[in-house]
Amino acid sequence: DAKTTQPPSMDCAEGRAANLPCNHSTISGNEYVYWYRQIHSQGPQYIIHGLKNNETNEMASLIITEDRKSSTLILPHATLRDTAVYYCIVYQRGSARQLTFGSGTQLTVLP
Amino acid sequence: EPEVTQTPSHQVTQMGQEVILRCVPISNHLYFYWYRQILGQKVEFLVSFYNNEISEKSEIFDDQFSVERPDGSNFTLKIRSTKLEDSAMYFCASRQRGSYNEQFFGPGTRLTVL
């Protein structure tokens, strides 16, 4: 699986959009970008995934650059409960293989 | 909404003792996983399980570890002789068969080895 690079930490004001970047310059054509988060040592939680088109669900939006070498997870209106470590993982869809977690980005939403 | 459950939430044991961590995956899921997270460190893969056998295992998953699906609902991780360095959060995860890759994680079991 391709390696990803994320900033170690970010702050965001409550109610504002949180934009979390991820670089995955070695991503291959059949690999998807997945985002998970982990709230204070709870089990990781799936957020969203995408291949090359922008994706949106009830939790977040995912913007993937045209060359697919980077992406941004957007939480449109961050709340205090969104404070968590966010992991960007490149993964081959359809594979039953394990997820490989990096260090992620610690997002702190400030009141 | 269906969820993965794990018991116990916290297990304290003496070094050298055997522990069994239990997980109930989501009922129609067919792929099962154990991960662990030592305090302050990354989430690490231990083992994956499908069709009643291990699919993959990491180098952490040595002879002291074993997994079992004793019935149609439970998925267990056994550590035969615990070491101090086994202290960690242990997460179980499961996923459906098919093209949807989302792994659903349980809340974890905190294992403390004294």
Side-chain angles (χ1 to χ4, degrees):
Chain A
D1 296 327
K3 180 178 168 55
T4 62
T5 304
Q6 300 178 251
S9 64
M10 294 182 65
D11 291 340
C12 176
E14 188 178 18
R16 304 299 293 269
N19 297 279
L20 293 99
C22 179
N23 287 320
H24 32 78
S25 58
T26 60
I27 193 170
S28 62
N30 63 351
E31 289 180 319
Y32 284 65
V33 181
Y34 279 74
W35 283 83
Y36 281 75
R37 73 180 183 183
Q38 186 178 25
I39 298 173
H40 193 243
S41 295
Q42 295 178 21
Q45 177 190 23
Y46 165 79
I47 301 172
I48 198 168
H49 72 273
L51 180 63
K52 55 183 178 182
N53 298 318
N54 298 338
E55 301 288 344
T56 296
N57 64 19
E58 65 278 5
M59 289 183 68
S61 295
L62 175 60
I63 309 296
I64 302 174
T65 58
E66 194 169 340
D67 63 8
R68 302 207 324 121
K69 293 185 177 181
S70 65
S71 60
T72 301
L73 178 75
I74 301 171
L75 308 179
H77 305 286
T79 71
L80 299 178
R81 288 175 294 180
D82 293 321
T83 292
V85 179
Y86 287 77
Y87 300 101
C88 168
I89 300 172
V90 172
Y91 193 76
Q92 185 175 354
R93 196 177 193 205
S95 166
R97 298 192 64 215
Q98 69 275 14
L99 295 167
T100 301
F101 290 85
S103 301
T105 296
Q106 170 67 59
L107 174 69
T108 302
V109 180
L110 303 170
Chain B
E1 186 174 324
E3 58 183 19
V4 177
T5 60
Q6 290 185 242
T7 55
S9 57
H10 190 189
Q11 174 90 47
V12 181
T13 189
Q14 295 291 324
M15 188 170 57
Q17 295 296 305
E18 174 183 287
V19 295
I20 297 176
L21 309 183
R22 291 183 167 79
C23 168
V24 179
I26 294 172
S27 63
N28 63 343
H29 287 191
L30 297 177
Y31 297 88
F32 313 111
Y33 308 82
W34 283 102
Y35 295 81
R36 80 172 186 190
Q37 186 175 32
I38 296 170
L39 185 63
Q41 298 188 22
K42 299 177 185 178
V43 176
E44 302 174 288
F45 167 73
L46 292 177
V47 65
S48 59
F49 193 86
Y50 170 71
N51 201 25
N52 285 319
E53 61 182 25
I54 291 174
S55 305
E56 286 191 78
K57 58 183 181 179
S58 72
E59 57 189 28
I60 302 169
F61 194 87
D62 61 22
D63 292 345
Q64 293 300 312
F65 291 87
S66 62
V67 289
E68 196 176 35
R69 189 156 161 81
D71 53 42
S73 59
N74 290 286
F75 179 50
T76 62
L77 174 70
K78 182 193 291 186
I79 308 175
R80 190 173 309 132
S81 177
T82 50
K83 308 183 189 74
L84 295 176
E85 54 265 38
D86 293 328
S87 295
M89 284 289 289
Y90 287 81
F91 297 108
C92 172
S94 68
R95 70 175 277 265
Q96 290 178 319
R97 187 176 188 173
S99 61
Y100 294 100
N101 265 13
E102 296 80 54
Q103 292 185 21
F104 292 83
F105 286 77
T109 292
R110 179 170 298 284
L111 177 64
T112 302
V113 182
L114 302 176

